[in-house]
Structure formats: structure tokens, C-alpha cells
Amino acid sequence: MTRICVLGLGYIGLPTASVFAANGFHVVGVDVDSQIVDVLSKGQIHINEPGLKTVVCAAIQSGNMLVRQVPEQADVFIIAVPTPLKDDNSAELSYVIQATESILPFLQQGNLVILESTVPPRTTEDILVPILQKSGYKIGEEIYLVHCPERVLPGNILHEFVSNDRIIGGINDKSSDKARGIYEKVVQGNLLITDATSAEMAKLMENTYRDVNIALANEVCRIAYDLNLDALEIIKLANMHPRVNLHQPGPGVGGHCLAVDPWFIVEKSNNAELIRLSREINDAMPNFVVGLVKKMLDQVVKPKITVLGVTYKGNVDDIRESPATEVIRKLKQANIDVGIYDPYVKNYEFEVSNLEEAFVASDLILLLADHKEFKYLSADELGFLMRNKQLFDTRNCLNHSKWKDAGFSIKVLGKNNQNS
Ligand SMILES: NC(=O)c1ccc[n+]([C@@H]2O[C@H](COP(=O)([O-])OP(=O)(O)OC[C@H]3O[C@@H](n4cnc5c(N)ncnc54)[C@H](O)[C@@H]3O)[C@@H](O)[C@H]2O)c1
């Protein structure tokens, strides 16, 4: 039976490990965080992803998956550790370097090493190859190496892991062939073979494409405020053209991928001008939203606002790089009292309240993440708790007539200053 050692048991590594185990592989999942190993060993999971707990528990109970704090010998090593941004917007590769170094004592001739973490172009060739060479094996001939970027969507990871097409970028053909032999056992999508650096760049371009297009929508939104226009109406009309598909504006771009990956290209090429500017436009949106909030509250003494949702998008518990954090920070800097309600988030750098506490004596609801639960909130009951009934929906996701009927004045990001 093929043995797989997966390093990093987070949003990517845990589904990867458990899906391989469910398909008959013998998997050792490794995480340096002892709490994560403890939680998983007790049959619990530490992340919120639909269906994942069932697959992980089944994998562990079947004996196909073990959870450890250090690697073990295996046929295949999959590295799925974090690659965050440093303060200077360059890639923090120390986790990838440590994880690669940690497998050196366990490498054997014929092993395949798969880097799934998202990395700047040339990382596999320039950083992983020299580390693996320290094993004494010839890389590409005795140890095989590929970059197989992950492109799943949080909230739908288990389905997309199996059904998405997958890029396999080997440092040579033998490496790609080896990796194809592993992924074809679990992936139903196409396996797209290329070289390691092209795989790295293609992955980054997927998220960069989306980031640049969101920046364009956010720019339309800001221009519309200058020209006293409704950006959402303009985007809707333009999208009636058969070859136009403008995105929607929002309070900023977050998450560990879209807000991060474009910088990995900027770091490597001075020609990445549009990509850099798009990041800057999207990063400026929290400030723009706070400016609009301040205008709405300019008549209110000692204002309090209720933030609904702090994750980077709806229906997930992921707060990484969430624009909500920057919005809240700026509101607090402006001495605005902030009550926060998010049914998905428990640990956050600001206090998350229960529903009633978040709304009591509030002057404005600021919706920042479109969790489905928010659609079922009672506008009447919550309005009763508030001091002023204002709603600012930055995701254009609520039933505005319901809130209007309950006496709220409504603003929607992009709809300029009109009541919707
Ligand atoms: N989350 C996503 O939706 C997504 C999508 C596509 C690609 N990616 C990429 O996948 C990679 C992993 O992301 P994630 O969201 O799973 O991160 P994560 O933070 O959820 O999980 C990473 C785990 O790795 C562990 N770890 C760190 N160093 C380690 C080491 N040396 N050995 C073993 N474990 C170690 C951490 O403790 C953590 O539990 C990143 O490069 C990310 O950009 C993520």
C-alpha cells in the first residue's frame, strides 16, 4: 500500500490527507501544532468545512490515517504548510523551508515530494531542490519533485478536491509521471502536466485574475460615487454585453489566497504594475467604507455600530486577511464603539458578542460578510434594540425591503447615496 506523509493539517492538508486515506492510501498526517494533533486524535477537527469531520473520523477509525507531530518514512511527501505575506509583501517561506528540511532524515530512494503550498515562481527549483539535495540523493533521478498547486474553494473543498482539474508541475518528466500516478487515484478532473515554475505562475495567475477584476469593480464603485451614479446598475448594464463580465464591488479582498498571491508575482517582476495597483486599490476599500460610515454617523454623538460578519467571505470561519479587521481597526481609531456579531467566529482579535449585545444601542448595522444566517435576522426585533435604524450592506445580500419595512434607512455599497 502506498504510504503518504502529509505535512500541515490545515484547510488544505487535512482534506488532502483524509481523502487519500478514504481512497485506501496509508496516510500519516503531520502538524507541528500539538493542539491540532490532540484535537484530531480525539476525533474532533479544528476547522469548519462541510463534510470534513465525517471523512477525517472515518479515515482515523479505519486505521488508514494516523496523526503525528513529526514526519515518518513514506513513499510520497505532500507539503501543505502556510505561505503568508511578510510585512514587506514578500512571501514568508520559512514554513515551507522547515517542512522540507524536516523530511530529510526520512527520505528514501524513489520517494516523491509534492509541494502543494502556493509559492512565488521558481521556489520549487531554487529553494526546494537545494534543500532536498542535502539528502545525498540526485533530485529528479532518485527523488522526484513536483509543484501541484491547490485550487479548492473553502466551503466546498471536499467536492472540488476530487472534481477540479489539477496542475502537476514536475522538475522533470519522471517527477510529473510519478505525481500523475498518485493523483489519478483520487482526482476525477483532468491532470494538466507542465513544469514546476509554470505551475507556480499559473496558480498565482488564477487568483491574480480575480483580484484584478475585483479591483476594476471597486474602481467603478469609487468613480460612481464621484459622478453620483449607481455602480451596481452600471455593472449590471455593462454585463448585458455578451463579452463583458464585471465583478461586484465589496469592502475589500481577503482570505489567504486572493489578497496574498498577487504579491508573490510582484516580488519577482518589476513589470507586474497592474497587479500591484490592483492590490493597492482593493487594500484601500476598507478605508473607503469607513469614510462612508463616518458620513452616515456625522450627526450622532458617541456612535456605536454593529458589524455583521468579520470573515473574508460568507459561510466560512476564515478571518485571515479579512478586510473587516481593517475596517474595525479604523472605526475604533475614529472612536466609534463597535459591537461585533459573527456566528462563525469565536477567536478574533476583537471581542465577538452575542446577537443582543452587538445590537443594543447601536446606530448603524454594517454588514461586511454575507453569511446566510443574516438573511433570517429579525429586522423588527433588532431594530427595537437599536438607537438609530440604519443599515449599510456592503455585500448587497440582504432583503432590503424587509429592513425598510422595519423602519431602517438602507445604504448599499456602490449604490451611491440613494436609499435602495
Ligand atoms: N486555504 C485555502 O483555501 C487554500 C487554497 C489554495 C491554496 N492554499 C495554500 O495552501 C497552503 C496551506 O494553506 P492552509 O490554508 O491549509 O494553511 P493552514 O494555516 O490552514 O494550515 C497549515 C498547517 O501547517 C502547519 N505547519 C506549519 N509548519 C509546519 C511544518 N513544518 N510541518 C508540519 N506542519 C506545519 C500549521 O500548524 C497549520 O496547521 C498555503 O500555501 C496556501 O496559500 C490554500
Side-chain angles (χ1 to χ4, degrees):
M1 194 194 292
T2 306
R3 291 164 306 158
I4 301 183
C5 180
V6 178
L7 290 101
L9 296 176
Y11 287 90
I12 296 304
L14 188 57
T16 303
S18 54
V19 170
F20 273 112
N23 281 275
F25 288 85
H26 185 249
V27 177
V28 178
V30 178
D31 205 292
V32 286
D33 186 329
S34 59
Q35 277 184 337
I36 292 177
V37 173
D38 260 12
V39 167
L40 292 170
S41 305
K42 286 179 189 143
Q44 302 293 319
I45 64 170
H46 59 294
I47 50 181
N48 182 8
E49 176 64 31
L52 183 60
K53 189 173 174 193
T54 312
V55 182
V56 171
C57 288
I60 290 176
Q61 275 164 15
S62 71
N64 276 0
M65 180 167 151
L66 303 172
V67 185
R68 297 281 183 265
Q69 239 184 297
V70 284
E72 291 182 4
Q73 282 189 347
D75 303 298
V76 180
F77 292 89
I78 299 180
I79 298 172
V81 297
T83 45
L85 267 188
K86 290 200 245 180
D87 288 344
D88 65 357
N89 287 333
S90 65
E92 173 60 86
L93 290 176
S94 61
Y95 300 99
V96 169
I97 292 169
Q98 278 163 22
T100 312
E101 285 173 342
S102 76
I103 64 174
L104 285 176
F106 305 100
L107 280 181
Q108 295 166 291
Q109 184 158 355
N111 280 176
L112 167 66
V113 178
I114 301 175
L115 176 64
E116 285 205 3
S117 299
T118 307
V119 289
R122 296 211 56 81
T123 301
T124 308
E125 292 275 0
D126 293 350
I127 295 183
L128 263 71
V129 169
I131 295 174
L132 293 173
Q133 276 168 341
K134 292 187 209 160
S135 68
Y137 291 114
K138 292 196 179 101
I139 309 309
E141 287 176 41
E142 295 172 312
I143 299 289
Y144 305 101
L145 175 62
V146 292
H147 176 54
C148 294
E150 191 49 77
R151 30 168 53 169
V152 290
L153 183 73
N156 197 23
I157 291 181
L158 288 174
H159 171 71
E160 293 207 352
F161 182 83
V162 174
S163 63
N164 284 358
D165 292 346
R166 180 133 211 157
I167 300 174
I168 295 179
I171 57 158
N172 59 4
D173 291 346
K174 273 190 197 168
S175 296
S176 296
D177 283 348
K178 280 265 184 188
R180 187 196 343 236
I182 297 299
Y183 283 108
E184 69 188 6
K185 304 264 178 16
V186 291
V187 173
Q188 287 160 10
N190 297 311
L191 298 177
L192 312 167
I193 307 297
T194 185
D195 62 276
T197 308
S198 298
E200 290 163 343
M201 186 65 186
K203 162 67 195 177
L204 298 174
M205 279 314 299
E206 292 165 13
N207 287 331
T208 299
Y209 167 85
R210 299 194 51 224
D211 196 51
V212 169
N213 278 286
I214 294 168
L216 184 59
N218 283 336
E219 189 157 287
V220 174
C221 172
R222 297 175 68 146
I223 292 168
Y225 277 90
D226 288 343
L227 300 180
N228 205 22
L229 293 169
D230 177 346
L232 303 188
E233 174 72 1
I234 287 157
I235 289 171
K236 191 171 89 187
L237 292 172
N239 282 346
M240 300 287 184
H241 184 286
R243 286 174 294 283
V244 174
N245 185 16
L246 285 163
H247 289 38
Q248 297 298 307
V253 170
H256 185 57
C257 294
L258 258 66
V260 173
D261 295 0
W263 288 118
F264 292 2
I265 301 175
V266 173
E267 172 185 344
K268 290 288 182 170
S269 171
N270 290 334
N271 284 314
E273 293 175 47
L274 176 63
I275 296 173
R276 177 200 297 273
L277 188 58
S278 299
R279 277 283 67 246
E280 286 165 359
I281 290 170
N282 290 335
D283 277 352
M285 285 310 285
N287 202 32
F288 185 70
V289 166
V290 169
L292 295 172
V293 167
K294 282 185 190 163
K295 270 192 204 156
M296 291 174 210
L297 294 173
D298 66 353
Q299 304 296 324
V300 182
V301 182
K302 289 199 175 173
K304 171 180 174 179
I305 78 158
T306 306
V307 166
L308 278 186
V310 292
T311 57
Y312 80 91
K313 67 170 191 167
N315 310 322
V316 297
D317 65 351
D318 195 340
I319 48 171
R320 291 177 293 179
E321 316 293 331
S322 175
T325 305
E326 192 57 21
V327 170
I328 294 166
R329 204 174 282 140
K330 288 195 174 338
L331 289 169
K332 286 182 177 278
Q333 279 164 6
N335 286 324
I336 296 174
D337 188 13
V338 183
I340 301 172
Y341 178 65
D342 191 315
Y344 289 77
V345 175
K346 291 186 184 70
N347 299 318
Y348 188 46
E349 72 174 87
F350 304 108
E351 190 189 337
V352 180
S353 311
N354 65 34
L355 192 64
E356 195 174 313
E357 277 170 23
F359 278 81
V360 77
S362 174
D363 298 293
L364 170 80
I365 304 170
L366 174 63
L367 183 141
L368 294 174
D370 49 349
H371 295 319
K372 57 184 180 303
E373 285 80 357
F374 296 158
K375 294 200 168 87
Y376 308 109
L377 291 174
S378 165
D380 287 316
E381 285 173 24
L382 295 174
F384 186 69
L385 294 171
M386 294 176 67
R387 186 165 63 165
N388 286 299
K389 292 186 190 179
Q390 298 192 81
L391 168 66
F392 183 17
D393 182 353
T394 68
R395 300 280 185 179
N396 192 20
C397 69
L398 293 180
N399 174 353
H400 299 138
S401 51
K402 175 177 98 175
W403 291 83
K404 219 170 177 178
D405 290 349
F408 279 79
S409 68
I410 317 286
K411 298 273 187 290
V412 178
L413 182 66
K415 276 190 176 288
N416 199 353
N417 289 328
Q418 305 146 352
N419 275 353
S420 63

